[in-house]
Amino acid sequence: MAKLSASKNSLTRAVLGKVYAVFFVTALSLICAAGFGLNLKFEGIKEDIYVANSNFKIFIKERAANIDNELKLIEKYIEAPDFDAKAIFDFAVKNNNEYKAFFIANERGEIEFASDKNLRDKYFAFFLSKPWNNELDGKTSRSEFIFDKSDVPSRFVAKKMKNGKTIAALVHFTAIYEEFARGYEELGISSFAIDKGGKIVFHQNAELVLGRKNIFDLYSVDADYLEKSEVKFANLGSPNSVIYYIQSIPEIGLAVVSSYPIDKFLKENLLFLLICAAFLAAGAFFTIYYINFAKNSIIKPILSIRNILAKAGRGEEIKAYANFGSIKEFEQILNEIVKFHDDFVQKKMNFEDYSRKFGFLFEKGPFVMLLIDAKSGKIIEASTKACEFYGLSYEEIKNKNLAELNASNLTDVTIQQDGEAQIYEMTHFVASGEVKQVSIRKQNYELPGGEKIGFCVIKDVTKSNALKKNAQKQSEIDANSPMFSVVWKDRFIGEISSVSDNIESALGYKKSEIFSNEFEFKNIIHPDDLYRLTNEFNIKFSLFNAVLLKKENESLQTCRLIRKNLEVINCSVFIKFISKDGRTVDEVIGYFIDSKLAANLTAKTGMEIARLNDDKEGAYKNTILSLFANAQEAIAVVGLDGVFLDANEAFCKISGYSKEEAIGKPSNLLRSGVHDDKFYENMWKILLKNGFYSGKIYNKRKSGEIYLEQLSIAAVYNGSKPSYFVAAFHELPWREPKIKPGE
C-alpha cells in the first residue's frame, strides 16, 4: 500500500511539475516578449526623433545655404555693367515670400539701396552701427534674431562684397515653421529651434518665442546639453515629462530640439500592455484547468490501469475490470497496427529503391536534372525543376528524347572534358516555343544491373550570356563614343566626383590627373568662353533652385576646350541637374560632344542623313545626330508620318530587316503585340511634348522572335517644329512580359 502511494505521488509530481514548469516558462516568455516589444517601440520612437531632428537640421542648413547662394548670385549680377538692382531684388522677393527686403550699404554704413522704402528708416541706425564691419570680404554674416510682435522671427543675412559695400537680406523664416508643422503631422514629433544661449527662436507656441523663453524654462536639461548627441529624458515624473534629442548647427548659431511626450508613449502602448496582461491571466486560467484535467483524465486512469495490473499479478479476479472500457477492442487495434506497419515497411522499401536509383533531389531539389538512357538518349527520369524549366508535365517529358529538345546543330557544339563528365553549351526548346541557351554537364554511370544511364545537370545561361554580350557592347560604345561626361559636386566647374571612361581619348588627360589637386577644369576651357559659359550656367542653376523652371536637362552654347597637347576642340555642351529632394542640386553632370569626332563617327555609320539636311535646323540637329551616331548602337531615322527614312547596320542585325526592307515602311513594322495602343499613344505624347523619349519596349524581329530593348528617341527640330526623329536602341537581357502576345 505504501509502495502504491509512493508511485502515485511520483506520477503526480512528474505530470503537475511539467505543467507548472510550462506555465512558468510561458509567463516568463510573455513578460520578456512584452519588455522586448516595448523596447522595440521605444527604439522606434527614438528613431523617429532622430529622423525628425536630422530632417529639420538638414532643412535649416539648406535654408541657410540657399540664402548664402542667393546673396552670392545677386553679388555676381551686381558686378555686371548693366546691373538693375530693383529688377533683381523684386524678382527675389516675389519668388520667395521669406525675403522681406534687400539692402545695399556703403563702407560708412549708409543705406544706398533698399528694396522696401518703408524699412529704410527703420533700419537706418542698425546699418550705421556697421555690425559686420570686422567681417572678412566674401564671408556670410548673420545678425541676432529680431522679434517684432510676431511669432516668426527675422534676421539679417549679409555679405561684404569686394568693392567694400555690404549686401544684406532681411529674412522672415516662415518655411521653418511650416517644416516643423509637417514633421509633427508625419511623425508626431514636436520640434523647435534655439540659439546658442538656449533662447527659443522658433516654436509652434508663439507665446514662448515672444516671451523670450529659454529651453531651461521648458525642460530640466543638463548644462552641457548642446555637447551630447543622444536621446535623453527630461522632467521625469512630471506631467510634461518628455524624451528629447538636441543637435547643434554651429555654423549658423542654432540648435534643433525634438521631443516626444512620455505620457503619449504610454497611452499609445496601453492596448499592448493590456493584451499582455490578458494573455498572462488566460495562461493562469488554462493552467488551473489543465491541472484538473491532468488529475482526472490522465493520472487517475493510469493509476487505475496500474491497479488492474497489480491485481492481475497477485492473481486476483479482474474480469469486472477487464469488461469495463471495452477491452475486447484491443485485438482490433492490434490488427490495425500490424497492417499499418506492413504497409509502412513496403512503402519504405519502395522509397529506398527509388532513392538508390534517382536520389531525393529529383523530387525536392532546386536543380534541372535529367536521367537518360546512355544509348538511345530517351529521358527516363526528370526532376521537378526540369518539368518547370521546360514547361512540360512529368509524363510529357518522359515521352521525349533529349535530341528532341535541341535547337542547336550538334556539329557546331564544342564539348569540354572535365574528368569523366562532358560540359557543353547549346540551345533548347521549351514548351512555349522559346529558345533558351543552356549549359549541360553530362556523366554516364553503370547501375548494378548493367544498365547504363546518363546523368545531366542543366543550367539556364540565357541571361548571363546576354549580360556578357551587353557588357562587351557597352565597352565598345564607351570607347568610341563622341561624348564624354564630367560630374561635379553641387556646382558647375567645382570639385569633380567622376568622369567617363573615354576622358583620356577625348582630352588627353588620365583619370588620375583629372582627380589630382592640381587639376582645375576651368583651366582647360578657352579663356574667351569661360565667362560666358559659367554665366549661362549660373542663370539656369538659379532658375532651377528658384523653382521657376524644373528642367533637369539643359543645353549650353558651344564652347572650346584645350586638350593636354594644347589642341583646341569645339564641343556642344549639355548639363543635367541631379536633385534628391527635388529642391536643391546635389550633382551636375556635364556632357561634352566633340563636334569633329561626332562628325567622323556619323560618316562611319554609313547613314544617309545628308538627304535630310536643312540649313534652318542648325547646330541642334547636328548635336542630336552626333549623340546617336555610333555604329555599335542600332540607329534609325523616322519621319513625322512614322515611316523609316534610314537605318544603320546594327539596326539591320538586331531587327533582321535589311536597309531596303525597312526604308519606306511604317515604324510599327517591329511592333510585337505585347503593348496595347494606349502604350504607344502615351509614348508619342511624351516624345512630342518633351522632344525626347526613353524606355524599355518589346519589339519583334523579322523571324517573328520577340525581344526586349532599351529605346531612346529624340526629335530633330526645324525652328520650333520637329522635322523628324532619331531613334537608338540596344537589346536587353530577356525578361518575360507581364502580358503575353495574343492574350
Side-chain angles (χ1 to χ4, degrees):
M1 189 71 181
K3 186 176 181 181
L4 183 61
S5 177
S7 176
K8 176 181 177 180
N9 292 334
S10 176
L11 178 63
T12 303
R13 282 196 297 269
V15 174
L16 297 185
K18 288 181 172 58
V19 174
Y20 290 135
V22 169
F23 172 73
F24 176 78
V25 171
T26 303
L28 185 62
S29 300
L30 190 60
I31 293 171
C32 292
F36 180 74
L38 287 175
N39 184 62
L40 284 180
K41 290 179 179 292
F42 179 71
E43 289 298 321
I45 294 297
K46 286 175 61 177
E47 186 64 27
D48 287 343
I49 292 176
Y50 279 123
V51 170
N53 197 278
S54 297
N55 287 343
F56 297 143
K57 179 179 178 181
I58 292 170
F59 179 81
I60 292 174
K61 290 178 69 175
E62 287 178 348
R63 294 302 306 147
N66 287 344
I67 294 170
D68 294 351
N69 292 335
E70 187 83 22
L71 290 179
K72 291 178 183 177
L73 184 62
I74 290 174
E75 181 186 4
K76 290 185 179 179
Y77 281 117
I78 291 174
E79 293 173 353
D82 55 345
F83 162 60
D84 184 351
K86 188 176 187 310
I88 292 175
F89 291 129
D90 286 349
F91 175 83
V93 172
K94 180 180 179 182
N95 287 275
N96 193 327
N97 59 5
E98 290 189 328
Y99 294 129
K100 304 306 292 181
F102 287 86
F103 300 85
I104 298 178
N106 59 26
E107 295 176 321
R108 296 185 300 277
E110 299 170 344
I111 299 176
E112 294 185 348
F113 173 85
S115 62
D116 189 337
K117 295 180 179 179
N118 297 326
L119 298 176
R120 176 192 288 269
D121 295 336
K122 182 175 181 178
Y123 295 107
F124 177 78
F126 174 80
F127 278 88
L128 279 180
S129 67
K130 296 188 283 187
W132 306 292
N133 194 43
N134 296 326
E135 297 292 345
L136 298 175
D137 292 349
K139 181 181 177 182
T140 303
S141 305
R142 292 173 172 81
S143 71
E144 294 292 330
F145 282 93
I146 303 167
F147 300 86
D148 188 18
K149 296 181 181 179
S150 170
D151 61 335
V152 180
S154 304
R155 81 185 315 181
F156 280 98
V157 181
K159 187 174 185 297
K160 193 172 182 181
M161 299 184 290
K162 296 178 181 178
N163 58 10
K165 296 181 179 181
T166 301
I167 180 172
L170 180 60
V171 185
H172 202 182
F173 293 90
T174 56
I176 294 179
Y177 277 96
E178 294 169 357
E179 190 69 12
F180 284 162
R182 181 163 50 252
Y184 181 78
E185 291 175 0
E186 293 176 357
L187 297 175
I189 306 298
S190 299
S191 296
F192 59 94
I194 59 176
D195 64 13
K196 291 183 292 186
K199 184 170 61 179
I200 300 171
V201 293
F202 298 100
H203 199 288
Q204 294 298 321
N205 185 350
E207 303 275 337
L208 298 177
V209 178
L210 297 176
R212 308 294 182 89
K213 295 295 183 180
N214 196 289
I215 188 172
F216 294 98
D217 296 328
L218 298 181
Y219 308 138
S220 56
V221 299
D222 297 331
D224 57 347
Y225 65 95
L226 285 176
E227 300 171 4
K228 293 185 178 180
S229 182
E230 60 183 8
V231 171
K232 301 191 330 189
F233 295 88
N235 302 348
L236 281 176
S238 65
N240 62 336
S241 57
V242 297
I243 310 166
Y244 74 93
Y245 176 67
I246 302 177
Q247 276 195 98
S248 177
I249 314 175
E251 52 267 40
I252 57 175
L254 291 178
V256 177
V257 184
S258 298
S259 63
Y260 190 88
I262 293 178
D263 61 341
K264 183 179 179 182
F265 173 78
L266 296 176
K267 289 178 182 178
E268 288 178 346
N269 296 283
L270 182 60
L271 180 60
F272 176 77
L273 293 172
L274 291 175
I275 291 174
C276 291
F279 272 106
L280 194 61
F285 171 80
F286 282 110
T287 299
I288 296 172
Y289 174 82
Y290 280 110
I291 286 173
N292 292 328
F293 174 82
K295 286 180 178 179
N296 298 322
S297 301
I298 299 176
I299 298 174
K300 286 183 178 180
I302 292 177
L303 292 175
S304 298
I305 293 173
R306 285 185 175 180
N307 190 27
I308 291 173
L309 293 176
K311 287 181 179 292
R314 292 194 298 269
E316 295 180 12
E317 179 62 38
I318 61 170
K319 185 175 181 180
Y321 295 99
N323 290 331
F324 180 78
S326 302
I327 297 178
K328 292 180 180 179
E329 293 180 1
F330 286 165
E331 185 177 352
Q332 180 183 353
I333 294 172
L334 181 60
N335 291 335
E336 290 294 329
I337 292 174
V338 172
K339 183 176 181 300
F340 174 81
H341 179 264
D342 292 340
D343 292 341
F344 174 78
V345 170
Q346 184 61 43
K347 288 180 180 179
K348 182 179 179 182
M349 292 175 60
N350 293 339
F351 176 77
E352 289 176 347
D353 182 61
Y354 179 90
S355 298
R356 180 181 59 82
K357 288 184 178 180
F358 310 119
F360 183 69
L361 286 177
F362 269 79
E363 181 179 359
K364 301 286 186 180
F367 306 109
V368 178
M369 297 185 294
L370 297 175
L371 286 183
I372 63 172
D373 187 292
K375 294 182 179 180
S376 64
K378 185 179 184 305
I379 299 174
I380 58 178
E381 189 60 45
S383 66
T384 303
K385 284 294 180 182
C387 297
E388 294 176 4
F389 177 76
Y390 288 104
L392 299 170
S393 67
Y394 181 75
E395 291 74 18
E396 288 173 335
I397 200 168
K398 285 189 66 176
N399 289 329
K400 289 187 175 292
N401 192 292
L402 186 62
E404 296 179 44
L405 302 176
N406 293 340
S408 304
N409 189 343
L410 292 178
T411 57
D412 299 330
V413 175
T414 302
I415 300 176
Q416 298 178 351
Q417 201 72 28
D418 183 12
E420 297 182 0
Q422 294 178 333
I423 303 174
Y424 54 93
E425 283 193 14
M426 60 188 313
T427 54
H428 272 186
F429 287 113
V430 295
S432 63
E434 182 186 352
V435 176
K436 292 192 176 183
Q437 294 177 320
V438 296
S439 172
I440 303 176
R441 180 185 179 89
K442 177 186 174 186
Q443 186 168 350
N444 292 336
Y445 295 93
E446 184 173 349
L447 299 179
E451 179 185 4
K452 290 186 178 181
I453 61 169
F455 178 67
C456 302
V457 179
I458 300 168
K459 183 180 180 182
D460 184 4
V461 295
T462 306
K463 291 184 179 179
S464 60
N465 287 352
L467 288 172
K468 291 178 183 177
K469 181 180 178 183
N470 288 342
Q472 182 179 2
K473 183 189 297 182
Q474 189 61 46
S475 298
E476 294 174 357
I477 291 172
D478 290 342
N480 298 283
S481 174
M483 177 174 65
F484 65 93
S485 63
V486 181
V487 181
W488 292 275
K489 294 181 180 178
D490 187 30
R491 295 302 296 263
F492 191 53
I493 315 180
E495 183 181 351
I496 298 175
S497 60
S498 65
V499 293
S500 57
D501 292 337
N502 61 344
I503 193 73
E504 185 173 358
S505 61
L507 296 178
Y509 292 95
K510 296 180 180 179
K511 280 190 174 183
S512 57
E513 295 177 297
I514 297 289
F515 294 127
S516 67
N517 294 329
E518 292 77 18
F519 184 86
E520 289 191 59
F521 194 84
K522 67 179 181 180
N523 292 338
I524 69 170
I525 300 176
H526 197 282
D528 295 341
D529 296 339
L530 178 60
Y531 177 79
R532 173 184 54 76
L533 188 66
T534 53
N535 188 52
E536 184 181 2
F537 168 82
N538 286 334
I539 292 173
K540 295 190 175 181
F541 181 85
S542 61
L543 289 175
F544 183 93
N545 278 340
V547 201
L548 292 177
L549 191 60
K550 283 293 185 187
K551 290 178 64 178
E552 293 184 354
N553 300 282
E554 296 276 5
S555 61
L556 303 180
Q557 297 182 45
T558 302
C559 76
R560 290 166 290 178
L561 297 183
I562 304 172
R563 290 168 49 86
K564 187 176 181 180
N565 61 3
L566 302 183
E567 177 189 355
V568 177
I569 60 174
N570 289 315
C571 291
S572 297
V573 185
F574 291 83
I575 57 174
K576 181 177 178 66
F577 296 116
I578 306 298
S579 176
K580 295 178 182 178
D581 57 10
R583 292 180 293 185
T584 56
V585 176
D586 298 294
E587 288 185 337
V588 178
I589 305 178
Y591 297 98
F592 296 83
I593 305 165
D594 184 344
S595 303
K596 182 178 178 182
L597 179 57
N600 292 339
L601 287 174
T602 306
K604 290 179 183 179
T605 61
M607 296 180 66
E608 300 173 6
I609 303 300
R611 59 194 174 85
L612 298 172
N613 281 343
D614 186 338
D615 294 337
K616 295 180 181 180
E617 296 179 17
Y620 183 74
K621 180 198 69 179
N622 294 328
T623 299
I624 294 296
L625 293 179
S626 298
L627 278 170
F628 297 98
N630 193 298
Q632 303 298 323
E633 190 88 351
I635 307 171
V637 181
V638 183
L640 295 179
D641 56 358
V643 172
F644 286 118
L645 301 177
D646 210 338
N648 69 346
E649 186 62 30
F651 173 92
C652 299
K653 287 181 180 179
I654 294 177
S655 68
Y657 291 97
S658 65
K659 229 180 187 185
E660 293 73 17
E661 290 174 319
I663 294 175
K665 299 293 192 306
S667 57
N668 61 11
L669 178 70
L670 305 180
R671 193 163 179 171
S672 63
V674 172
H675 309 288
D676 56 15
D677 293 339
K678 188 175 181 180
F679 172 86
Y680 293 100
E681 288 175 7
N682 184 54
M683 180 179 75
W684 282 102
K685 282 181 181 178
I686 294 173
L687 177 59
L688 294 175
K689 179 181 178 181
N690 302 330
F692 186 82
Y693 172 83
S694 179
K696 296 180 178 61
I697 186 172
Y698 289 91
N699 269 339
K700 183 170 66 176
R701 309 186 209 274
K702 181 180 178 181
S703 63
E705 179 190 355
I706 296 175
Y707 65 97
L708 179 63
E709 68 180 41
Q710 178 67 45
L711 173 65
S712 298
I713 310 175
V716 180
Y717 288 85
N718 179 7
S720 61
K721 296 181 179 180
S723 296
Y724 53 89
F725 305 100
V726 176
F729 63 87
H730 60 268
E731 192 172 348
L732 295 173
W734 175 253
R735 187 172 63 191
E736 285 290 337
K738 294 182 180 178
I739 302 176
K740 296 185 178 179
E743 291 186 355

